[in-house]
Amino acid sequence: MADRKHGVPAPPTESAIRSADWDGRELIRETYHRVLFVDVDMTELVDRGSAFEECTFSNVRFNVSEHEDASFLNCTFSRSSFFDATFRGCKLTGSMFDGCTFGLFKVEGGDWSFAGLPGADLRGSSFHGVRLREADLTGARLEGSEVRRCDLSGAWLHSADLTGCDLRGSDLGSLDPHVTAVDRAIIDPFQATVVASALGFTVTG
């Protein structure tokens, strides 16, 4: 797996789909490998179980699209929009997002380990039951978002803004309150113990 968080470039593409209108299209278990998608309109697209591997999406509109049990492995998303897009049970391991826009973005289940979302504006988004192990959320804006029951072990949260974020049930072992904004974030009693320990407190019964 290419770990592009450490400067390894995205794999080269071998074919391209440009300026296509996939608005409202239904994809059922289709497969794409090292394809470059440029200026493609995928608004309201419905994707069931399709596989994209080492693909690049540049200026692609995913607005109001629905993806279920799909995979985007080691893909790159550049200047693409995801307004009101939904991903259910999808696998985005190792994928990178650069200059993308979100808003009402919803992720339910699935594996986003090693995904790169540095600096992403995810305000108002929801992540429920998502595996985000070692995901890069450096500088991400998650004010007022929901990140519930997520596996954030090893996630990069330096300079992320979790103000008012609902974090209940998520693994906060990698959260350092000294370098992450957590004002008014919502946590459960067990998480409070984890955060207190990170701040140097000794918690006793």
Side-chain angles (χ1 to χ4, degrees), residues 49-126:
S50 295
F52 298 84
E53 185 175 1
E54 297 184 346
C55 293
T56 296
F57 300 85
S58 179
N59 195 33
V60 173
R61 293 176 293 286
F62 290 93
N63 303 328
V64 205
S65 61
E66 295 185 14
H67 308 264
E68 186 169 350
D69 297 325
S71 61
F72 296 82
L73 304 181
N74 285 326
C75 290
T76 299
F77 300 88
S78 176
R79 302 186 307 282
S80 295
S81 57
F82 293 87
F83 177 77
D84 202 17
T86 302
F87 289 77
R88 297 187 185 92
C90 295
K91 188 171 185 177
L92 281 88
T93 309
S95 288
M96 281 290 299
F97 295 79
D98 178 30
C100 296
T101 57
F102 301 89
L104 302 180
F105 185 59
K106 296 177 286 294
V107 182
E108 301 171 7
D111 190 349
W112 289 55
S113 298
F114 305 100
L117 289 152
D121 187 347
L122 295 163
R123 289 176 292 177
S125 298
S126 63

Side-chain angles (χ1 to χ4, degrees), residues 148-165:
R148 301 197 59 181
R149 304 183 310 281
C150 293
D151 182 357
L152 289 165
S153 55
W156 300 16
L157 295 168
H158 192 282
S159 299
D161 193 339
L162 302 177
T163 301
C165 184

Side-chain angles (χ1 to χ4, degrees), residues 1-199:
M1 178 185 299
D3 188 353
R4 277 167 280 144
K5 291 188 294 185
H6 295 285
V8 178
T13 53
E14 299 171 352
S15 62
I17 297 175
R18 301 177 183 273
S19 303
D21 184 2
W22 288 16
D23 189 339
R25 180 170 172 175
E26 187 173 14
L27 304 182
I28 305 295
R29 292 186 294 277
E30 296 191 17
T31 301
Y32 299 88
H33 178 66
R34 291 194 173 183
V35 178
L36 169 64
F37 295 84
V38 182
D39 297 321
V40 178
D41 186 359
M42 295 188 181
T43 303
E44 296 188 353
L45 175 144
V46 177
D47 173 11
R48 307 295 188 204
S50 295
F52 298 84
E53 185 175 1
E54 297 184 346
C55 293
T56 296
F57 300 85
S58 179
N59 195 33
V60 173
R61 293 176 293 286
F62 290 93
N63 303 328
V64 205
S65 61
E66 295 185 14
H67 308 264
E68 186 169 350
D69 297 325
S71 61
F72 296 82
L73 304 181
N74 285 326
C75 290
T76 299
F77 300 88
S78 176
R79 302 186 307 282
S80 295
S81 57
F82 293 87
F83 177 77
D84 202 17
T86 302
F87 289 77
R88 297 187 185 92
C90 295
K91 188 171 185 177
L92 281 88
T93 309
S95 288
M96 281 290 299
F97 295 79
D98 178 30
C100 296
T101 57
F102 301 89
L104 302 180
F105 185 59
K106 296 177 286 294
V107 182
E108 301 171 7
D111 190 349
W112 289 55
S113 298
F114 305 100
L117 289 152
D121 187 347
L122 295 163
R123 289 176 292 177
S125 298
S126 63
F127 292 80
H128 291 175
V130 184
R131 185 180 175 93
L132 287 159
R133 294 178 66 93
E134 298 191 46
D136 187 354
L137 293 166
T138 305
R141 301 192 62 181
L142 287 152
E143 301 103 295
S145 298
E146 294 183 1
V147 184
R148 301 197 59 181
R149 304 183 310 281
C150 293
D151 182 357
L152 289 165
S153 55
W156 300 16
L157 295 168
H158 192 282
S159 299
D161 193 339
L162 302 177
T163 301
C165 184
D166 188 344
L167 297 164
R168 286 176 291 177
S170 293
D171 182 340
L172 300 182
S174 60
L175 174 66
D176 182 351
H178 295 102
V179 296
T180 303
V182 294
D183 187 41
R184 300 189 308 281
I186 303 170
I187 58 176
D188 59 40
F190 173 77
Q191 292 170 312
T193 301
V194 173
V195 174
S197 297
L199 290 170

